[in-house]
Amino acid sequence: MDKLIINGMVPLNGEVSVSGAKNAVLPMLCASVMASNTCVTLKNIPHLHDVTTTVRLLRQMGVSVTLDDKMNIELDPSTIKNYYAPYDLVKTMRSSILVLGPLLAKFGNAKVSLPGGCAIGSRPVEMHLDALEKMGAKINIQNGYISAKSQKLVGSNIIFPKTTVTGTENILMASTLADGKTVISNAAREPEVVDLANFLNQMGASIRGHGTDTIEITGVRELKGISYSALPDRIETGTFLVAAAITGGKIIVKNTISSHVDIIIQKLKQAGAEISTTSTTITLDMKGKRPKPVNIETGAYPLFPTDMQAQLTALNTVADGTSVIKENIFENRFMHVQEMTRMGADIRLEQNCAIISGIDELIGASVMATDLRASASLILVGLAANGTTEIERIYHIDRGYDCIEEKLRQLGADISRVPM
Ligand code: EPU
């Protein structure tokens, strides 16, 4: 197992290019099993463990998957031989649940391990299952597995009691091949959901209203293989912007979509950053200043993303004043706080809020990564801290950030990966 070693207090400077969005690519990989007799080619694929795990999952189902040296992935589902997602893969990556809707819609049969909890909260999937049952699926849960069967799914009115990203995606995918019309109310509006809908429409689906909270899908007889390039990762974008802000640096983030990170830009401006944008680039200049404290409350898109909460917590640890971060999506998403306090951060947790009193200087220490975004936030505090920070269990970071230390080194950071 590797660890990251960071010598902090180097202001970042330069240009960085953002990779394809993990949370758009994963559902697209799963949706590819619905293509009839033709291949799906996905481009702008980030080099991530979660992508590799999804490819393993699809391969063990019999899907033929070819990767080229540019990480374009070609998927041929015509060789599929089982509709099974085993526990040993699902337990490492909850988003494996995204094969459920496509398998059921195309083959009328799926057996997928229940994901169970994870480091950031309980993360149930009952909303996915209730919606599929409403569409006519017969669902049984036994021995930790969801067994789902259906002759043909039937279009229905699905009203999600709470906004769910992968729940919306599962039903969106399933309803493309259902009989008749499906309306999803209280649908997630995340850019990754929109990108998935655009991808499915190119495959021949009939989806309208994506990007709003009401999505209408008219089932079609079949979907065809296409070539599609995934959108850039807005969380990676936001993470690099915070990296520049926390080190007092100046960077240009390229190959992004600036409108997808409006709320993050707004918060970083409040923190004192000077920011200018084009549609595909963001320039952030902190001019060596210490950040001002910013209050954050997480919510579904377009509100502030929970996947950027830990990074803003990191920024506030060195801010000139006190801030409050309220986490509304996942009940346990403050695992990074204990590690940050080992570096001197002054953070008090009260229910779903972190109250942070900014300090003059963090001191490098050995810390442990507990989940993906927590790992990113520990890198950020390491970049800002005086001295050396060692981050263990960094396999979490490789699940969701494409070559993060290479990209940070390119911006001048003193960061290296060493075997433990
Ligand atoms: N929820 C339920 N029941 C369900 C489904 C969800 O109660 O059946 C609850 C969850 O417990 C949570 C809330 O609804 O409190 C929202 O969860 P959601 O279903 O939207 O989360 P998700 O689809 O499991 C995706 C991302 C996460 C991201 C969340 C929120 C993917 C693969 N994952 O998860 O990404 O944090 O949406 O935006 O798209 C990450 O990339 O680090 C990550 C965790």
Side-chain angles (χ1 to χ4, degrees):
M1 216 182 293
D2 297 345
K3 65 180 173 182
L4 285 177
I5 298 184
I6 304 170
N7 292 306
M9 296 189 100
V10 181
L12 297 192
N13 195 293
E15 294 185 356
V16 65
S17 186
V18 170
S19 301
K22 167 178 85 77
N23 289 347
V25 166
L26 300 181
M28 285 175 201
L29 285 167
C30 297
S32 69
V33 303
M34 295 193 292
S36 289
N37 304 322
T38 36
C39 297
V40 171
T41 305
L42 289 172
K43 297 179 175 168
N44 200 26
I45 301 297
H47 198 277
L48 302 175
H49 273 182
D50 276 9
V51 170
T52 315
T53 308
T54 310
V55 166
R56 271 179 64 205
L57 177 61
L58 295 172
R59 276 192 172 137
Q60 72 82 37
M61 286 177 192
V63 177
S64 309
V65 187
T66 325
L67 280 81
D68 71 16
D69 52 3
K70 293 197 184 106
M71 272 297 282
N72 297 324
I73 300 187
E74 191 179 272
L75 303 112
D76 176 1
S78 63
T79 48
I80 201 160
K81 55 182 193 304
N82 71 67
Y83 316 119
Y84 174 57
Y87 178 61
D88 66 326
L89 290 175
V90 177
K91 75 177 178 203
T92 63
M93 198 190 59
R94 290 189 83 265
S95 58
S96 312
I97 190 74
L98 286 166
V99 294
L100 183 60
L103 286 176
L104 199 52
K106 172 80 177 162
F107 305 103
N109 197 345
K111 186 173 176 188
V112 178
S113 169
L114 267 171
C118 79
I120 62 177
S122 64
R123 308 192 73 185
V125 291
E126 87 291 350
M127 290 197 280
H128 304 226
L129 305 185
D130 290 351
L132 288 170
E133 276 185 331
K134 198 153 181 225
M135 296 175 75
K138 297 272 171 283
I139 295 184
N140 249 307
I141 297 185
Q142 216 172 13
N143 306 115
Y145 278 85
I146 305 161
S147 290
K149 286 197 169 41
S150 151
Q151 291 289 354
K152 178 88 174 156
L153 292 172
V154 185
S156 306
N157 280 333
I158 305 296
I159 305 170
F160 281 121
K162 194 173 176 184
T163 312
T164 162
V165 175
T166 50
T168 301
E169 291 168 343
N170 241 335
I171 302 312
L172 183 61
M173 294 187 283
S175 55
T176 56
L177 290 176
D179 255 346
K181 188 167 159 182
T182 299
V183 179
I184 307 176
S185 302
N186 198 20
R189 291 182 281 167
E190 270 66 5
E192 295 76 20
V193 175
V194 176
D195 208 32
L196 174 65
N198 290 336
F199 166 77
L200 292 166
N201 274 344
Q202 271 200 35
M203 289 176 81
S206 174
I207 304 170
R208 293 189 316 162
H210 38 299
T212 76
D213 63 3
T214 308
I215 307 180
E216 288 182 18
I217 307 106
T218 306
V220 295
R221 287 173 68 89
E222 65 171 16
L223 298 173
K224 59 179 189 298
I226 53 159
S227 177
Y228 193 88
S229 190
L231 90 172
D233 198 307
R234 66 195 161 98
I235 305 302
E236 188 192 7
T237 301
T239 303
F240 280 116
L241 292 175
V242 177
I246 202 170
T247 58
K250 176 181 178 180
I251 66 165
I252 302 173
V253 180
K254 298 191 333 188
N255 186 32
T256 185
I257 298 178
S258 50
S259 59
H260 289 170
V261 290
D262 272 348
I263 188 123
I264 300 168
I265 290 176
Q266 214 176 300
K267 291 293 172 185
L268 290 171
K269 280 183 175 168
Q270 274 176 31
E274 288 180 19
I275 300 181
S276 58
T277 61
T278 67
S279 57
T280 58
T281 67
I282 305 170
T283 304
L284 179 146
D285 191 351
M286 200 64 185
K287 303 215 151 147
K289 287 178 298 187
R290 184 172 174 188
K292 293 183 209 142
V294 279
N295 297 333
I296 304 286
E297 187 166 336
T298 63
Y301 191 85
L303 299 176
F304 193 88
T306 173
D307 291 344
M308 281 298 298
Q309 179 262 105
Q311 297 87 321
L312 264 288
T313 302
L315 186 69
N316 277 321
T317 61
V318 291
D320 190 7
T322 302
S323 56
V324 179
I325 302 244
K326 190 170 182 193
E327 173 56 60
N328 291 321
I329 306 288
F330 294 114
E331 71 269 25
N332 196 23
R333 212 172 197 182
F334 279 124
M335 303 283 275
H336 41 284
V337 163
Q338 289 312 319
E339 301 301 303
M340 289 178 186
T341 55
R342 303 194 63 249
M343 297 171 68
D346 182 351
I347 311 175
R348 197 174 80 247
L349 289 179
E350 273 181 22
Q351 287 149 5
N352 64 334
C353 290
I355 297 116
I356 307 164
S357 303
I359 55 166
D360 291 345
E361 194 172 88
L362 293 162
I363 305 292
S366 290
V367 290
M368 189 100 82
T370 48
D371 71 77
L372 170 56
R373 308 301 171 188
S375 316
S377 73
L378 294 177
I379 293 182
L380 296 174
V381 283
L383 292 172
N386 191 354
T388 304
T389 297
E390 297 194 2
I391 308 177
E392 293 178 20
R393 294 207 187 154
I394 55 158
Y395 52 86
H396 292 290
I397 200 92
D398 297 326
R399 289 189 44 212
Y401 287 88
D402 188 358
C403 305
I404 190 161
E405 72 268 23
E406 280 93 333
K407 290 189 184 186
L408 286 169
R409 263 204 305 275
Q410 205 180 301
L411 294 169
D414 182 348
I415 178 168
S416 50
R417 182 183 290 245
V418 294
M420 276 179 69

